[in-house]
């Protein structure tokens, strides 16, 4: 009786797990920040509020002007020189707070939740994260704000039609002012994201934003008149206002100069945020 010996077959080597090669690119970082921004309910609510502020406060200011005009009493100096454009951008003072606060939340919120560690682990070079956040939110704020001021101008124009404040869109400077208001609010959003990344605190970022846009101009107003003329035009809020003002007095900057100054403040905030992002641990 013969015995058949079966040789041991060589053990098959395990198939190596092939992982897809992912590469961090600027486009992918932008898509990631876009998805993160729209996944938050606060984004929808705050952007909706900013749009509401632009249209509603412009309409309220126009209705108040129309009411005072029909009352028969003499108008105040500010009301007598009011235009449809000036009334339609009345809500920018309120919309800038909503947009700026949301910009702060877009960056500082990740530090408060710890999500920034995962973000920077995925993008080790770090700076593309800041540029993508600023670009995504700035462009969204720019588009929404431009639509808001245009809608506000159309609503206000209907309310103040056949009054001294009526102003057609073809009037010189109107289109420039509307686009300037949208650009101003878009840059406010970029400054908000920069402050959030620089201070890494929601409360701190919002405080600095409110102080720079609202409190500092009030403090400068307490200075002697000659000092005010030298300092006030170069404040962020004053430079931004000159971007969308229809007329300018002798102490105000021209629209192009105001844009240059406000861009300087924006670059300064982004530079500070970039320096801390690179030099400090998350």
């Amino acid at each position: 009786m013969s015995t058949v010996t079966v040789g041991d077959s060589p053990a098959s080597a395990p198939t190596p797990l092939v992982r897809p090669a992912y590469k961090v690119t600027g486009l992918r970082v932008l898509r990631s920040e876009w998805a993160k921004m729209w996944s938050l309910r606060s984004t929808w609510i705050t952007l909706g509020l900013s749009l509401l502020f632009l249209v509603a406060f412009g309409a309220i200011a126009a209705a108040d002007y129309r009411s005072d005009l029909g009352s028969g009493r003499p108008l105040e100096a500010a009301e007598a020189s009011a235009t449809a454009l000036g009334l339609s951008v009345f809500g920018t003072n309120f919309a800038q707070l909503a947009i700026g606060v949301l910009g702060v939340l877009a960056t500082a919120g990740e530090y408060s939740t710890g999500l920034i560690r995962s973000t920077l682990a995925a993008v080790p070079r770090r700076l593309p994260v800041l540029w993508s956040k600023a670009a995504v939110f700035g462009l969204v704020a720019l588009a929404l704000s431009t639509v808001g001021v245009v809608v506000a101008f159309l609503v206000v124009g209907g309310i103040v039609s056949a009054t001294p404040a009526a102003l057609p869109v073809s009037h010189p400077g109107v289109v420039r002012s509307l686009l300037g208001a949208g650009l101003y609010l878009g840059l406010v959003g970029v400054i908000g994201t920069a402050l959030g990344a620089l201070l890494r605190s929601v409360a701190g970022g919002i405080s600095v934003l409110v102080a720079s846009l609202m409190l500092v101009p009030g403090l400068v107003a307490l200075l002697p008149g000659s000092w005010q003329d030298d300092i006030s035009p170069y404040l962020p809020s004053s430079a931004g206002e000159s971007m969308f003002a229809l007329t300018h007095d002798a102490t105000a900057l021209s629209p192009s100069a105001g844009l240059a100054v406000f861009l300087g403040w924006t670059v300064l905030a982004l530079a500070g945020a970039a320096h801390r992002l690179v030099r400090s641990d998350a």
Side-chain angles (χ1 to χ4, degrees), residues 40-53 94-103 105 137 144:
L40 298 175
R41 186 181 302 174
S42 59
T43 300
W44 297 90
I45 295 175
T46 310
L47 289 178
L49 285 175
S50 63
L51 185 61
L52 177 64
F53 290 157
F94 305 94
Q96 68 181 354
L97 293 180
I99 291 176
V101 166
L102 185 57
L105 290 173
F137 185 68
L144 180 79

mmCIF file with all atom_site columns, all heavy atoms in Angstrom, residues 40-53 94-103 105 137 144:
data_model
loop_
_atom_site.group_PDB
_atom_site.id
_atom_site.type_symbol
_atom_site.label_atom_id
_atom_site.label_alt_id
_atom_site.label_comp_id
_atom_site.label_asym_id
_atom_site.label_entity_id
_atom_site.label_seq_id
_atom_site.pdbx_PDB_ins_code
_atom_site.Cartn_x
_atom_site.Cartn_y
_atom_site.Cartn_z
_atom_site.occupancy
_atom_site.B_iso_or_equiv
_atom_site.pdbx_formal_charge
_atom_site.auth_seq_id
_atom_site.auth_comp_id
_atom_site.auth_asym_id
_atom_site.auth_atom_id
_atom_site.pdbx_PDB_model_num
ATOM 1   N N   . LEU A 1 40  ? -22.992 74.504  8.712  1.00 0.00 ? 40  LEU A N   1
ATOM 2   C CA  . LEU A 1 40  ? -23.363 75.119  9.983  1.00 0.00 ? 40  LEU A CA  1
ATOM 3   C C   . LEU A 1 40  ? -24.664 75.901  9.833  1.00 0.00 ? 40  LEU A C   1
ATOM 4   O O   . LEU A 1 40  ? -24.829 76.678  8.894  1.00 0.00 ? 40  LEU A O   1
ATOM 5   C CB  . LEU A 1 40  ? -22.253 76.058  10.464 1.00 0.00 ? 40  LEU A CB  1
ATOM 6   C CG  . LEU A 1 40  ? -20.891 75.405  10.744 1.00 0.00 ? 40  LEU A CG  1
ATOM 7   C CD1 . LEU A 1 40  ? -19.870 76.474  11.095 1.00 0.00 ? 40  LEU A CD1 1
ATOM 8   C CD2 . LEU A 1 40  ? -21.003 74.387  11.855 1.00 0.00 ? 40  LEU A CD2 1
ATOM 9   N N   . ARG A 1 41  ? -25.554 75.701  10.782 1.00 0.00 ? 41  ARG A N   1
ATOM 10  C CA  . ARG A 1 41  ? -26.821 76.437  10.749 1.00 0.00 ? 41  ARG A CA  1
ATOM 11  C C   . ARG A 1 41  ? -26.600 77.922  10.966 1.00 0.00 ? 41  ARG A C   1
ATOM 12  O O   . ARG A 1 41  ? -27.345 78.758  10.441 1.00 0.00 ? 41  ARG A O   1
ATOM 13  C CB  . ARG A 1 41  ? -27.764 75.877  11.818 1.00 0.00 ? 41  ARG A CB  1
ATOM 14  C CG  . ARG A 1 41  ? -29.169 76.458  11.789 1.00 0.00 ? 41  ARG A CG  1
ATOM 15  C CD  . ARG A 1 41  ? -30.034 75.863  12.889 1.00 0.00 ? 41  ARG A CD  1
ATOM 16  N NE  . ARG A 1 41  ? -30.117 74.413  12.772 1.00 0.00 ? 41  ARG A NE  1
ATOM 17  C CZ  . ARG A 1 41  ? -30.710 73.628  13.680 1.00 0.00 ? 41  ARG A CZ  1
ATOM 18  N NH1 . ARG A 1 41  ? -31.246 74.169  14.758 1.00 0.00 ? 41  ARG A NH1 1
ATOM 19  N NH2 . ARG A 1 41  ? -30.755 72.337  13.501 1.00 0.00 ? 41  ARG A NH2 1
ATOM 20  N N   . SER A 1 42  ? -25.575 78.266  11.752 1.00 0.00 ? 42  SER A N   1
ATOM 21  C CA  . SER A 1 42  ? -25.306 79.678  12.027 1.00 0.00 ? 42  SER A CA  1
ATOM 22  C C   . SER A 1 42  ? -24.980 80.449  10.753 1.00 0.00 ? 42  SER A C   1
ATOM 23  O O   . SER A 1 42  ? -25.245 81.649  10.662 1.00 0.00 ? 42  SER A O   1
ATOM 24  C CB  . SER A 1 42  ? -24.153 79.810  13.023 1.00 0.00 ? 42  SER A CB  1
ATOM 25  O OG  . SER A 1 42  ? -22.973 79.207  12.506 1.00 0.00 ? 42  SER A OG  1
ATOM 26  N N   . THR A 1 43  ? -24.393 79.779  9.755  1.00 0.00 ? 43  THR A N   1
ATOM 27  C CA  . THR A 1 43  ? -24.083 80.450  8.491  1.00 0.00 ? 43  THR A CA  1
ATOM 28  C C   . THR A 1 43  ? -25.358 80.923  7.810  1.00 0.00 ? 43  THR A C   1
ATOM 29  O O   . THR A 1 43  ? -25.464 82.077  7.383  1.00 0.00 ? 43  THR A O   1
ATOM 30  C CB  . THR A 1 43  ? -23.315 79.497  7.568  1.00 0.00 ? 43  THR A CB  1
ATOM 31  O OG1 . THR A 1 43  ? -22.099 79.104  8.201  1.00 0.00 ? 43  THR A OG1 1
ATOM 32  C CG2 . THR A 1 43  ? -23.005 80.177  6.242  1.00 0.00 ? 43  THR A CG2 1
ATOM 33  N N   . TRP A 1 44  ? -26.326 80.028  7.701  1.00 0.00 ? 44  TRP A N   1
ATOM 34  C CA  . TRP A 1 44  ? -27.589 80.384  7.041  1.00 0.00 ? 44  TRP A CA  1
ATOM 35  C C   . TRP A 1 44  ? -28.317 81.484  7.808  1.00 0.00 ? 44  TRP A C   1
ATOM 36  O O   . TRP A 1 44  ? -28.837 82.436  7.212  1.00 0.00 ? 44  TRP A O   1
ATOM 37  C CB  . TRP A 1 44  ? -28.480 79.147  6.928  1.00 0.00 ? 44  TRP A CB  1
ATOM 38  C CG  . TRP A 1 44  ? -27.900 78.065  6.095  1.00 0.00 ? 44  TRP A CG  1
ATOM 39  C CD1 . TRP A 1 44  ? -27.090 77.037  6.508  1.00 0.00 ? 44  TRP A CD1 1
ATOM 40  C CD2 . TRP A 1 44  ? -28.065 77.893  4.679  1.00 0.00 ? 44  TRP A CD2 1
ATOM 41  N NE1 . TRP A 1 44  ? -26.740 76.238  5.453  1.00 0.00 ? 44  TRP A NE1 1
ATOM 42  C CE2 . TRP A 1 44  ? -27.325 76.725  4.317  1.00 0.00 ? 44  TRP A CE2 1
ATOM 43  C CE3 . TRP A 1 44  ? -28.750 78.581  3.696  1.00 0.00 ? 44  TRP A CE3 1
ATOM 44  C CZ2 . TRP A 1 44  ? -27.272 76.257  3.006  1.00 0.00 ? 44  TRP A CZ2 1
ATOM 45  C CZ3 . TRP A 1 44  ? -28.697 78.122  2.387  1.00 0.00 ? 44  TRP A CZ3 1
ATOM 46  C CH2 . TRP A 1 44  ? -27.970 76.973  2.058  1.00 0.00 ? 44  TRP A CH2 1
ATOM 47  N N   . ILE A 1 45  ? -28.342 81.357  9.130  1.00 0.00 ? 45  ILE A N   1
ATOM 48  C CA  . ILE A 1 45  ? -29.082 82.328  9.940  1.00 0.00 ? 45  ILE A CA  1
ATOM 49  C C   . ILE A 1 45  ? -28.432 83.705  9.865  1.00 0.00 ? 45  ILE A C   1
ATOM 50  O O   . ILE A 1 45  ? -29.103 84.724  9.642  1.00 0.00 ? 45  ILE A O   1
ATOM 51  C CB  . ILE A 1 45  ? -29.163 81.847  11.406 1.00 0.00 ? 45  ILE A CB  1
ATOM 52  C CG1 . ILE A 1 45  ? -29.994 80.562  11.497 1.00 0.00 ? 45  ILE A CG1 1
ATOM 53  C CG2 . ILE A 1 45  ? -29.757 82.933  12.293 1.00 0.00 ? 45  ILE A CG2 1
ATOM 54  C CD1 . ILE A 1 45  ? -30.023 79.945  12.872 1.00 0.00 ? 45  ILE A CD1 1
ATOM 55  N N   . THR A 1 46  ? -27.110 83.760  10.035 1.00 0.00 ? 46  THR A N   1
ATOM 56  C CA  . THR A 1 46  ? -26.424 85.052  10.075 1.00 0.00 ? 46  THR A CA  1
ATOM 57  C C   . THR A 1 46  ? -26.428 85.733  8.718  1.00 0.00 ? 46  THR A C   1
ATOM 58  O O   . THR A 1 46  ? -26.624 86.955  8.623  1.00 0.00 ? 46  THR A O   1
ATOM 59  C CB  . THR A 1 46  ? -24.988 84.866  10.576 1.00 0.00 ? 46  THR A CB  1
ATOM 60  O OG1 . THR A 1 46  ? -24.995 84.101  11.787 1.00 0.00 ? 46  THR A OG1 1
ATOM 61  C CG2 . THR A 1 46  ? -24.345 86.211  10.846 1.00 0.00 ? 46  THR A CG2 1
ATOM 62  N N   . LEU A 1 47  ? -26.200 84.981  7.652  1.00 0.00 ? 47  LEU A N   1
ATOM 63  C CA  . LEU A 1 47  ? -26.253 85.579  6.319  1.00 0.00 ? 47  LEU A CA  1
ATOM 64  C C   . LEU A 1 47  ? -27.668 86.062  5.996  1.00 0.00 ? 47  LEU A C   1
ATOM 65  O O   . LEU A 1 47  ? -27.851 87.104  5.363  1.00 0.00 ? 47  LEU A O   1
ATOM 66  C CB  . LEU A 1 47  ? -25.782 84.577  5.273  1.00 0.00 ? 47  LEU A CB  1
ATOM 67  C CG  . LEU A 1 47  ? -24.278 84.258  5.276  1.00 0.00 ? 47  LEU A CG  1
ATOM 68  C CD1 . LEU A 1 47  ? -23.955 83.221  4.210  1.00 0.00 ? 47  LEU A CD1 1
ATOM 69  C CD2 . LEU A 1 47  ? -23.445 85.515  5.068  1.00 0.00 ? 47  LEU A CD2 1
ATOM 70  N N   . GLY A 1 48  ? -28.664 85.297  6.436  1.00 0.00 ? 48  GLY A N   1
ATOM 71  C CA  . GLY A 1 48  ? -30.047 85.741  6.247  1.00 0.00 ? 48  GLY A CA  1
ATOM 72  C C   . GLY A 1 48  ? -30.335 87.029  7.002  1.00 0.00 ? 48  GLY A C   1
ATOM 73  O O   . GLY A 1 48  ? -31.030 87.922  6.493  1.00 0.00 ? 48  GLY A O   1
ATOM 74  N N   . LEU A 1 49  ? -29.796 87.137  8.223  1.00 0.00 ? 49  LEU A N   1
ATOM 75  C CA  . LEU A 1 49  ? -29.986 88.362  8.998  1.00 0.00 ? 49  LEU A CA  1
ATOM 76  C C   . LEU A 1 49  ? -29.309 89.553  8.342  1.00 0.00 ? 49  LEU A C   1
ATOM 77  O O   . LEU A 1 49  ? -29.868 90.654  8.313  1.00 0.00 ? 49  LEU A O   1
ATOM 78  C CB  . LEU A 1 49  ? -29.436 88.168  10.417 1.00 0.00 ? 49  LEU A CB  1
ATOM 79  C CG  . LEU A 1 49  ? -30.279 87.317  11.371 1.00 0.00 ? 49  LEU A CG  1
ATOM 80  C CD1 . LEU A 1 49  ? -29.539 87.126  12.690 1.00 0.00 ? 49  LEU A CD1 1
ATOM 81  C CD2 . LEU A 1 49  ? -31.640 87.953  11.614 1.00 0.00 ? 49  LEU A CD2 1
ATOM 82  N N   . SER A 1 50  ? -28.114 89.349  7.812  1.00 0.00 ? 50  SER A N   1
ATOM 83  C CA  . SER A 1 50  ? -27.425 90.460  7.148  1.00 0.00 ? 50  SER A CA  1
ATOM 84  C C   . SER A 1 50  ? -28.199 90.941  5.930  1.00 0.00 ? 50  SER A C   1
ATOM 85  O O   . SER A 1 50  ? -28.304 92.151  5.679  1.00 0.00 ? 50  SER A O   1
ATOM 86  C CB  . SER A 1 50  ? -26.016 90.039  6.750  1.00 0.00 ? 50  SER A CB  1
ATOM 87  O OG  . SER A 1 50  ? -26.050 88.983  5.813  1.00 0.00 ? 50  SER A OG  1
ATOM 88  N N   . LEU A 1 51  ? -28.758 90.012  5.172  1.00 0.00 ? 51  LEU A N   1
ATOM 89  C CA  . LEU A 1 51  ? -29.586 90.400  4.027  1.00 0.00 ? 51  LEU A CA  1
ATOM 90  C C   . LEU A 1 51  ? -30.840 91.128  4.483  1.00 0.00 ? 51  LEU A C   1
ATOM 91  O O   . LEU A 1 51  ? -31.257 92.132  3.881  1.00 0.00 ? 51  LEU A O   1
ATOM 92  C CB  . LEU A 1 51  ? -29.955 89.157  3.221  1.00 0.00 ? 51  LEU A CB  1
ATOM 93  C CG  . LEU A 1 51  ? -30.715 89.377  1.912  1.00 0.00 ? 51  LEU A CG  1
ATOM 94  C CD1 . LEU A 1 51  ? -29.889 90.217  0.947  1.00 0.00 ? 51  LEU A CD1 1
ATOM 95  C CD2 . LEU A 1 51  ? -31.079 88.045  1.271  1.00 0.00 ? 51  LEU A CD2 1
ATOM 96  N N   . LEU A 1 52  ? -31.436 90.643  5.567  1.00 0.00 ? 52  LEU A N   1
ATOM 97  C CA  . LEU A 1 52  ? -32.618 91.304  6.121  1.00 0.00 ? 52  LEU A CA  1
ATOM 98  C C   . LEU A 1 52  ? -32.289 92.707  6.602  1.00 0.00 ? 52  LEU A C   1
ATOM 99  O O   . LEU A 1 52  ? -33.060 93.649  6.374  1.00 0.00 ? 52  LEU A O   1
ATOM 100 C CB  . LEU A 1 52  ? -33.180 90.464  7.263  1.00 0.00 ? 52  LEU A CB  1
ATOM 101 C CG  . LEU A 1 52  ? -34.393 91.045  8.007  1.00 0.00 ? 52  LEU A CG  1
ATOM 102 C CD1 . LEU A 1 52  ? -35.594 91.156  7.075  1.00 0.00 ? 52  LEU A CD1 1
ATOM 103 C CD2 . LEU A 1 52  ? -34.738 90.198  9.228  1.00 0.00 ? 52  LEU A CD2 1
ATOM 104 N N   . PHE A 1 53  ? -31.147 92.873  7.269  1.00 0.00 ? 53  PHE A N   1
ATOM 105 C CA  . PHE A 1 53  ? -30.748 94.190  7.755  1.00 0.00 ? 53  PHE A CA  1
ATOM 106 C C   . PHE A 1 53  ? -30.596 95.181  6.599  1.00 0.00 ? 53  PHE A C   1
ATOM 107 O O   . PHE A 1 53  ? -31.038 96.330  6.698  1.00 0.00 ? 53  PHE A O   1
ATOM 108 C CB  . PHE A 1 53  ? -29.431 94.091  8.525  1.00 0.00 ? 53  PHE A CB  1
ATOM 109 C CG  . PHE A 1 53  ? -29.542 93.386  9.845  1.00 0.00 ? 53  PHE A CG  1
ATOM 110 C CD1 . PHE A 1 53  ? -28.425 92.803  10.437 1.00 0.00 ? 53  PHE A CD1 1
ATOM 111 C CD2 . PHE A 1 53  ? -30.756 93.288  10.500 1.00 0.00 ? 53  PHE A CD2 1
ATOM 112 C CE1 . PHE A 1 53  ? -28.521 92.155  11.645 1.00 0.00 ? 53  PHE A CE1 1
ATOM 113 C CE2 . PHE A 1 53  ? -30.870 92.639  11.718 1.00 0.00 ? 53  PHE A CE2 1
ATOM 114 C CZ  . PHE A 1 53  ? -29.750 92.071  12.287 1.00 0.00 ? 53  PHE A CZ  1
ATOM 115 N N   . PHE A 1 94  ? -25.500 97.825  10.271 1.00 0.00 ? 94  PHE A N   1
ATOM 116 C CA  . PHE A 1 94  ? -25.974 96.650  11.004 1.00 0.00 ? 94  PHE A CA  1
ATOM 117 C C   . PHE A 1 94  ? -25.521 95.354  10.329 1.00 0.00 ? 94  PHE A C   1
ATOM 118 O O   . PHE A 1 94  ? -25.156 94.394  11.001 1.00 0.00 ? 94  PHE A O   1
ATOM 119 C CB  . PHE A 1 94  ? -27.501 96.688  11.106 1.00 0.00 ? 94  PHE A CB  1
ATOM 120 C CG  . PHE A 1 94  ? -28.033 97.956  11.705 1.00 0.00 ? 94  PHE A CG  1
ATOM 121 C CD1 . PHE A 1 94  ? -28.418 99.025  10.895 1.00 0.00 ? 94  PHE A CD1 1
ATOM 122 C CD2 . PHE A 1 94  ? -28.143 98.110  13.073 1.00 0.00 ? 94  PHE A CD2 1
ATOM 123 C CE1 . PHE A 1 94  ? -28.900 100.207 11.433 1.00 0.00 ? 94  PHE A CE1 1
ATOM 124 C CE2 . PHE A 1 94  ? -28.619 99.281  13.630 1.00 0.00 ? 94  PHE A CE2 1
ATOM 125 C CZ  . PHE A 1 94  ? -29.004 100.339 12.809 1.00 0.00 ? 94  PHE A CZ  1
ATOM 126 N N   . ALA A 1 95  ? -25.530 95.344  9.004  1.00 0.00 ? 95  ALA A N   1
ATOM 127 C CA  . ALA A 1 95  ? -25.110 94.141  8.279  1.00 0.00 ? 95  ALA A CA  1
ATOM 128 C C   . ALA A 1 95  ? -23.636 93.848  8.491  1.00 0.00 ? 95  ALA A C   1
ATOM 129 O O   . ALA A 1 95  ? -23.224 92.679  8.511  1.00 0.00 ? 95  ALA A O   1
ATOM 130 C CB  . ALA A 1 95  ? -25.411 94.300  6.793  1.00 0.00 ? 95  ALA A CB  1
ATOM 131 N N   . GLN A 1 96  ? -22.812 94.885  8.660  1.00 0.00 ? 96  GLN A N   1
ATOM 132 C CA  . GLN A 1 96  ? -21.387 94.647  8.839  1.00 0.00 ? 96  GLN A CA  1
ATOM 133 C C   . GLN A 1 96  ? -21.106 93.889  10.129 1.00 0.00 ? 96  GLN A C   1
ATOM 134 O O   . GLN A 1 96  ? -20.156 93.086  10.193 1.00 0.00 ? 96  GLN A O   1
ATOM 135 C CB  . GLN A 1 96  ? -20.622 95.971  8.825  1.00 0.00 ? 96  GLN A CB  1
ATOM 136 C CG  . GLN A 1 96  ? -20.886 96.864  10.025 1.00 0.00 ? 96  GLN A CG  1
ATOM 137 C CD  . GLN A 1 96  ? -20.113 98.165  9.954  1.00 0.00 ? 96  GLN A CD  1
ATOM 138 O OE1 . GLN A 1 96  ? -19.297 98.367  9.059  1.00 0.00 ? 96  GLN A OE1 1
ATOM 139 N NE2 . GLN A 1 96  ? -20.344 99.063  10.903 1.00 0.00 ? 96  GLN A NE2 1
ATOM 140 N N   . LEU A 1 97  ? -21.922 94.096  11.146 1.00 0.00 ? 97  LEU A N   1
ATOM 141 C CA  . LEU A 1 97  ? -21.729 93.368  12.389 1.00 0.00 ? 97  LEU A CA  1
ATOM 142 C C   . LEU A 1 97  ? -22.061 91.891  12.210 1.00 0.00 ? 97  LEU A C   1
ATOM 143 O O   . LEU A 1 97  ? -21.328 91.016  12.671 1.00 0.00 ? 97  LEU A O   1
ATOM 144 C CB  . LEU A 1 97  ? -22.587 93.978  13.498 1.00 0.00 ? 97  LEU A CB  1
ATOM 145 C CG  . LEU A 1 97  ? -22.203 95.387  13.948 1.00 0.00 ? 97  LEU A CG  1
ATOM 146 C CD1 . LEU A 1 97  ? -23.133 95.867  15.043 1.00 0.00 ? 97  LEU A CD1 1
ATOM 147 C CD2 . LEU A 1 97  ? -20.756 95.432  14.410 1.00 0.00 ? 97  LEU A CD2 1
ATOM 148 N N   . ALA A 1 98  ? -23.177 91.610  11.533 1.00 0.00 ? 98  ALA A N   1
ATOM 149 C CA  . ALA A 1 98  ? -23.559 90.213  11.316 1.00 0.00 ? 98  ALA A CA  1
ATOM 150 C C   . ALA A 1 98  ? -22.520 89.488  10.475 1.00 0.00 ? 98  ALA A C   1
ATOM 151 O O   . ALA A 1 98  ? -22.101 88.365  10.801 1.00 0.00 ? 98  ALA A O   1
ATOM 152 C CB  . ALA A 1 98  ? -24.934 90.153  10.641 1.00 0.00 ? 98  ALA A CB  1
ATOM 153 N N   . ILE A 1 99  ? -22.057 90.123  9.403  1.00 0.00 ? 99  ILE A N   1
ATOM 154 C CA  . ILE A 1 99  ? -21.076 89.477  8.527  1.00 0.00 ? 99  ILE A CA  1
ATOM 155 C C   . ILE A 1 99  ? -19.735 89.338  9.224  1.00 0.00 ? 99  ILE A C   1
ATOM 156 O O   . ILE A 1 99  ? -19.060 88.302  9.138  1.00 0.00 ? 99  ILE A O   1
ATOM 157 C CB  . ILE A 1 99  ? -20.941 90.280  7.226  1.00 0.00 ? 99  ILE A CB  1
ATOM 158 C CG1 . ILE A 1 99  ? -22.227 90.154  6.403  1.00 0.00 ? 99  ILE A CG1 1
ATOM 159 C CG2 . ILE A 1 99  ? -19.747 89.812  6.415  1.00 0.00 ? 99  ILE A CG2 1
ATOM 160 C CD1 . ILE A 1 99  ? -22.246 90.985  5.153  1.00 0.00 ? 99  ILE A CD1 1
ATOM 161 N N   . GLY A 1 100 ? -19.306 90.377  9.930  1.00 0.00 ? 100 GLY A N   1
ATOM 162 C CA  . GLY A 1 100 ? -18.032 90.303  10.638 1.00 0.00 ? 100 GLY A CA  1
ATOM 163 C C   . GLY A 1 100 ? -18.032 89.256  11.736 1.00 0.00 ? 100 GLY A C   1
ATOM 164 O O   . GLY A 1 100 ? -17.055 88.518  11.904 1.00 0.00 ? 100 GLY A O   1
ATOM 165 N N   . VAL A 1 101 ? -19.120 89.160  12.480 1.00 0.00 ? 101 VAL A N   1
ATOM 166 C CA  . VAL A 1 101 ? -19.217 88.152  13.541 1.00 0.00 ? 101 VAL A CA  1
ATOM 167 C C   . VAL A 1 101 ? -19.175 86.746  12.954 1.00 0.00 ? 101 VAL A C   1
ATOM 168 O O   . VAL A 1 101 ? -18.513 85.847  13.488 1.00 0.00 ? 101 VAL A O   1
ATOM 169 C CB  . VAL A 1 101 ? -20.506 88.371  14.354 1.00 0.00 ? 101 VAL A CB  1
ATOM 170 C CG1 . VAL A 1 101 ? -20.817 87.158  15.234 1.00 0.00 ? 101 VAL A CG1 1
ATOM 171 C CG2 . VAL A 1 101 ? -20.376 89.616  15.229 1.00 0.00 ? 101 VAL A CG2 1
ATOM 172 N N   . LEU A 1 102 ? -19.862 86.540  11.838 1.00 0.00 ? 102 LEU A N   1
ATOM 173 C CA  . LEU A 1 102 ? -19.829 85.218  11.206 1.00 0.00 ? 102 LEU A CA  1
ATOM 174 C C   . LEU A 1 102 ? -18.427 84.894  10.706 1.00 0.00 ? 102 LEU A C   1
ATOM 175 O O   . LEU A 1 102 ? -17.985 83.739  10.759 1.00 0.00 ? 102 LEU A O   1
ATOM 176 C CB  . LEU A 1 102 ? -20.829 85.169  10.049 1.00 0.00 ? 102 LEU A CB  1
ATOM 177 C CG  . LEU A 1 102 ? -20.983 83.803  9.358  1.00 0.00 ? 102 LEU A CG  1
ATOM 178 C CD1 . LEU A 1 102 ? -21.393 82.731  10.363 1.00 0.00 ? 102 LEU A CD1 1
ATOM 179 C CD2 . LEU A 1 102 ? -22.001 83.886  8.232  1.00 0.00 ? 102 LEU A CD2 1
ATOM 180 N N   . GLY A 1 103 ? -17.693 85.901  10.224 1.00 0.00 ? 103 GLY A N   1
ATOM 181 C CA  . GLY A 1 103 ? -16.320 85.680  9.818  1.00 0.00 ? 103 GLY A CA  1
ATOM 182 C C   . GLY A 1 103 ? -15.448 85.239  10.986 1.00 0.00 ? 103 GLY A C   1
ATOM 183 O O   . GLY A 1 103 ? -14.601 84.344  10.849 1.00 0.00 ? 103 GLY A O   1
ATOM 184 N N   . LEU A 1 105 ? -16.525 83.661  13.667 1.00 0.00 ? 105 LEU A N   1
ATOM 185 C CA  . LEU A 1 105 ? -16.941 82.302  14.011 1.00 0.00 ? 105 LEU A CA  1
ATOM 186 C C   . LEU A 1 105 ? -16.358 81.268  13.057 1.00 0.00 ? 105 LEU A C   1
ATOM 187 O O   . LEU A 1 105 ? -16.091 80.129  13.459 1.00 0.00 ? 105 LEU A O   1
ATOM 188 C CB  . LEU A 1 105 ? -18.473 82.214  13.996 1.00 0.00 ? 105 LEU A CB  1
ATOM 189 C CG  . LEU A 1 105 ? -19.210 82.946  15.119 1.00 0.00 ? 105 LEU A CG  1
ATOM 190 C CD1 . LEU A 1 105 ? -20.717 82.910  14.869 1.00 0.00 ? 105 LEU A CD1 1
ATOM 191 C CD2 . LEU A 1 105 ? -18.886 82.320  16.467 1.00 0.00 ? 105 LEU A CD2 1
ATOM 192 N N   . PHE A 1 137 ? -15.378 82.726  2.442  1.00 0.00 ? 137 PHE A N   1
ATOM 193 C CA  . PHE A 1 137 ? -16.340 83.559  3.143  1.00 0.00 ? 137 PHE A CA  1
ATOM 194 C C   . PHE A 1 137 ? -16.393 84.964  2.559  1.00 0.00 ? 137 PHE A C   1
ATOM 195 O O   . PHE A 1 137 ? -17.467 85.573  2.478  1.00 0.00 ? 137 PHE A O   1
ATOM 196 C CB  . PHE A 1 137 ? -16.006 83.630  4.629  1.00 0.00 ? 137 PHE A CB  1
ATOM 197 C CG  . PHE A 1 137 ? -17.033 84.382  5.427  1.00 0.00 ? 137 PHE A CG  1
ATOM 198 C CD1 . PHE A 1 137 ? -18.300 83.862  5.601  1.00 0.00 ? 137 PHE A CD1 1
ATOM 199 C CD2 . PHE A 1 137 ? -16.765 85.630  5.951  1.00 0.00 ? 137 PHE A CD2 1
ATOM 200 C CE1 . PHE A 1 137 ? -19.269 84.558  6.308  1.00 0.00 ? 137 PHE A CE1 1
ATOM 201 C CE2 . PHE A 1 137 ? -17.708 86.335  6.654  1.00 0.00 ? 137 PHE A CE2 1
ATOM 202 C CZ  . PHE A 1 137 ? -18.972 85.793  6.833  1.00 0.00 ? 137 PHE A CZ  1
ATOM 203 N N   . LEU A 1 144 ? -23.552 88.115  -1.531 1.00 0.00 ? 144 LEU A N   1
ATOM 204 C CA  . LEU A 1 144 ? -24.800 88.340  -0.795 1.00 0.00 ? 144 LEU A CA  1
ATOM 205 C C   . LEU A 1 144 ? -25.014 89.824  -0.527 1.00 0.00 ? 144 LEU A C   1
ATOM 206 O O   . LEU A 1 144 ? -26.125 90.342  -0.686 1.00 0.00 ? 144 LEU A O   1
ATOM 207 C CB  . LEU A 1 144 ? -24.772 87.563  0.520  1.00 0.00 ? 144 LEU A CB  1
ATOM 208 C CG  . LEU A 1 144 ? -26.024 87.711  1.371  1.00 0.00 ? 144 LEU A CG  1
ATOM 209 C CD1 . LEU A 1 144 ? -27.135 86.818  0.831  1.00 0.00 ? 144 LEU A CD1 1
ATOM 210 C CD2 . LEU A 1 144 ? -25.747 87.354  2.824  1.00 0.00 ? 144 LEU A CD2 1
#
